[in-house]
Amino acid sequence: MERIICLAAGYLCGLFQTGYIYGKLHGIDIRSYGSGNSGSTNALRVMGKKAGLTVFVGDFLKTVIPCFITRLLFKDQPELMYVYMLYTGLGVILGHNFPFYLGFKGGKGIAATAGIIFSIDWRLTVICLSCFILLVAVTRYVSLGSLVASVILLVWDAVQNLRGAYGLIPGRLEFTAVTAVITVMAFWRHRANIGRLLKGTENKVGAKKQ
């Protein structure tokens, strides 16, 4: 029941479509431009740096806040607290990617995934952020940096799981399994980007799409 509640609460938080709302405030439906999704990268490309940063922060916080609340609510269950946080984060990603009131057409969940990374461990945050910045600076492919960060999340959680970190005892397998779902979701939502990366035609940051 706790898992279902965390998923449902996360999904409700994920329904706050920062990019869609920001676009509407400026007279456009962001999903009709650029890559067609409501995420921060498309907002950056279509509406500029201020829009991209605003949308990223909004989507980031809509994961961090419910994950923090989950941590507080289940602090007396340290062996499962992090598992419940992952369920909450996964719910946010699902709500962000598939908002029912927008015809299930949302974003790709990377800013929300960043919120999960931040909520789990500051060391993981530093590693993912450093790799993301380096990759984007060198290649100018935001999608590549995002995918690598999601893989680091999975590897990190698997290693910490084996080490018995985060107080995980009964929830060890489940912890890694939910993380794997989050990573697979990132790759699935970026499948078109992956195809373009392989062909060398992926959009680079800074190149505005009409």
Side-chain angles (χ1 to χ4, degrees):
M1 181 59 70
E2 289 87 349
R3 293 159 177 78
I4 295 174
I5 292 174
C6 287
L7 265 176
Y11 184 85
L12 290 176
C13 292
L15 293 177
F16 184 83
Q17 295 288 312
T18 314
Y20 178 79
I21 294 171
Y22 189 96
K24 282 297 184 180
L25 290 175
H26 290 78
I28 69 170
D29 183 344
I30 186 65
R31 301 171 305 156
S32 299
Y33 298 85
S35 63
N37 74 79
S38 59
S40 55
T41 301
N42 196 40
L44 169 66
R45 183 172 294 118
V46 174
M47 294 186 289
K49 294 179 181 179
K50 180 181 178 181
L53 179 61
T54 301
V55 173
F56 177 85
V57 171
D59 290 343
F60 176 78
L61 290 178
K62 75 183 182 186
T63 307
V64 171
I65 293 173
C67 282
F68 178 73
I69 294 173
T70 301
R71 181 192 289 267
L72 290 179
L73 290 176
F74 296 103
K75 63 182 180 180
D76 294 331
Q77 300 181 47
E79 72 282 0
L80 287 171
M81 180 180 67
Y82 284 94
V83 173
Y84 295 151
M85 287 171 59
L86 285 178
Y87 274 106
T88 301
L90 175 59
V92 174
I93 292 173
L94 291 173
H96 175 78
N97 291 356
F98 309 107
F100 72 89
Y101 67 97
L102 294 177
F104 301 97
K105 184 181 179 182
K108 296 182 179 179
I110 293 302
T113 302
I116 297 174
I117 291 171
F118 179 81
S119 301
I120 289 177
D121 197 311
W122 69 268
R123 298 168 298 176
L124 173 62
T125 303
V126 170
I127 294 172
C128 288
L129 182 59
S130 299
C131 291
F132 177 84
I133 292 175
L134 178 62
L135 282 171
V136 175
V138 172
T139 68
R140 294 175 61 199
Y141 292 138
V142 174
S143 57
L144 180 60
S146 301
L147 292 171
V148 169
S150 68
V151 171
I152 293 174
L153 168 64
L154 176 58
V155 174
W156 174 275
D157 282 0
V159 171
Q160 297 305 313
N161 197 344
L162 291 174
R163 292 179 60 245
Y166 305 138
L168 295 166
I169 299 176
R172 283 188 176 182
L173 179 60
E174 189 176 9
F175 182 73
T176 301
V178 178
T179 305
V181 171
I182 292 171
T183 300
V184 169
M185 178 72 68
F187 273 77
W188 172 253
R189 294 294 288 175
H190 282 80
R191 60 193 184 278
N193 302 81
I194 294 172
R196 290 193 296 268
L197 283 169
L198 294 174
K199 295 176 182 178
T201 59
E202 173 66 327
N203 301 311
K204 293 186 176 182
V205 65
K208 184 176 291 187
K209 287 192 68 174
Q210 300 299 322

